[in-house]
């Protein structure tokens, strides 16, 4: 698949790199490729290209949103509605607000979610929320914890899009994919972040996961 991973932070680079390793044609999206290459914290991702958000998304079969939650709507506006129309958008972002320090608060919650805001802004795009409830190392190598026996949530309005994303999750090694139904399911998985952040402090590591036993 041709996959655009929007985002050049640790998450975008890790997810993009793993998808490239798995044989996908990956382009990372950023505001300014030259400025990003010059960034001290930026490492080139083997096997993946780097382009503007719009150029990365243009020819993609599937788009991954790995951008800062507070910037997600601005980034997608740079990609453009026409470019995103009809595409599956995997949203793994979190609407975290660090402006008042730690712990972060949520930019949207309760009766809405970032994923739903994206879906409303781009009604012709098929948004699937997933992967936001785990650290990025586990997104790409779930087998490193409990042999991969932990839960990966998906939520979205389009059944075909969710099936496509579930296929990709299976390629990454996610064995327990739990479908929460329509995109309002994104509210719960975004609102689990205060617990996730607390657990990271309590356990002293981001290397843990949720398992729904049923
Ligand atoms: N860290 C984890 O393990 C983890 C786990 C689950 C979910 N997440 C979520 O994954 C997402 C990515 O996290 P991250 O830590 O890799 O990166 P990040 O620092 O949260 O976001 C980096 C990306 O956001 C873009 N961005 C930031 N401010 C922008 C602005 N004002 N306008 C346009 N673009 C802007 C950057 O664009 P440029 O490339 O142009 O700089 C960059 O591509 C976040 O939503 C995070 O909550 C993270």
């Amino acid at each position: 698949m041709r996959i655009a991973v929007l985002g050049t932070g640790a998450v975008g680079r890790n997810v993009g790199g793993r998808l490239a390793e798995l044989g996908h044609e990956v382009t990372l999206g950023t505001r300014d490729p030259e400025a990003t290459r010059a960034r001290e914290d930026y490492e080139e991702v083997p096997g993946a290209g780097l382009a503007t958000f719009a150029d990365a998304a243009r020819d993609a079969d599937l788009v991954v949103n790995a951008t800062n939650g507070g910037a997600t709507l601005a980034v997608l506006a740079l990609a453009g509605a026409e470019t995103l129309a009809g595409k599956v958008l995997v949203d793994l972002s979190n609407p975290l607000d660090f402006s008042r320090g730690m712990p972060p608060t949520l930019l949207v919650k309760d009766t809405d979610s970032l994923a739903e805001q994206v879906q409303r802004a781009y009604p012709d795009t098929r948004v699937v929320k997933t992967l936001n409830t785990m650290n990025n190392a586990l997104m790409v190598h779930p087998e490193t914890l409990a042999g991969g026996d932990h839960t990966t949530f998906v939520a979205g309005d389009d059944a075909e899009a969710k099936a496509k994303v579930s296929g990709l999750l299976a390629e990454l090694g996610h064995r327990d994919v739990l479908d929460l139904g329509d995109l309002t399911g994104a509210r719960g998985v975004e609102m689990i972040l205060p617990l996730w952040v607390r657990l990271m402090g309590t356990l002293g590591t981001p290397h843990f996961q949720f398992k729904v036993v049923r």
Side-chain angles (χ1 to χ4, degrees), residues 6-13 29-32 36 39 50 53 65-72 74-75 78 91-96 98 114 131-137 139 193 196 206:
L6 307 183
T8 58
V11 183
R13 296 200 307 271
T30 187
R31 280 168 287 192
D32 177 344
T36 297
R39 241 168 50 198
L50 182 68
F53 289 121
N65 173 36
T67 63
N68 189 279
T72 286
V75 166
L78 291 172
D91 177 30
L92 55 76
S93 70
N94 279 309
L96 296 178
F98 290 93
L114 181 55
L131 291 174
N132 68 303
T133 55
M134 68 195 77
N135 176 256
N136 65 84
M139 292 179 191
L193 259 290
W196 191 95

Side-chain angles (χ1 to χ4, degrees), residues 5 12-28 37 42-50:
V5 178
R13 296 200 307 271
N14 238 346
V15 170
R18 182 66 185 137
L19 290 171
E21 269 176 15
L22 289 170
H24 296 285
E25 199 181 305
V26 175
T27 307
L28 299 192
R37 281 198 184 93
Y42 185 77
E43 286 164 38
E44 207 69 44
V45 177
L50 182 68

Side-chain angles (χ1 to χ4, degrees), residues 149-153 175-179 211-214:
D149 185 23
H150 41 81
T151 306
T152 306
F153 302 104
R175 292 166 41 195
D176 179 23
V177 175
L178 182 48
D179 187 348
K211 171 71 186 172
V212 178
V213 180
R214 69 272 196 201

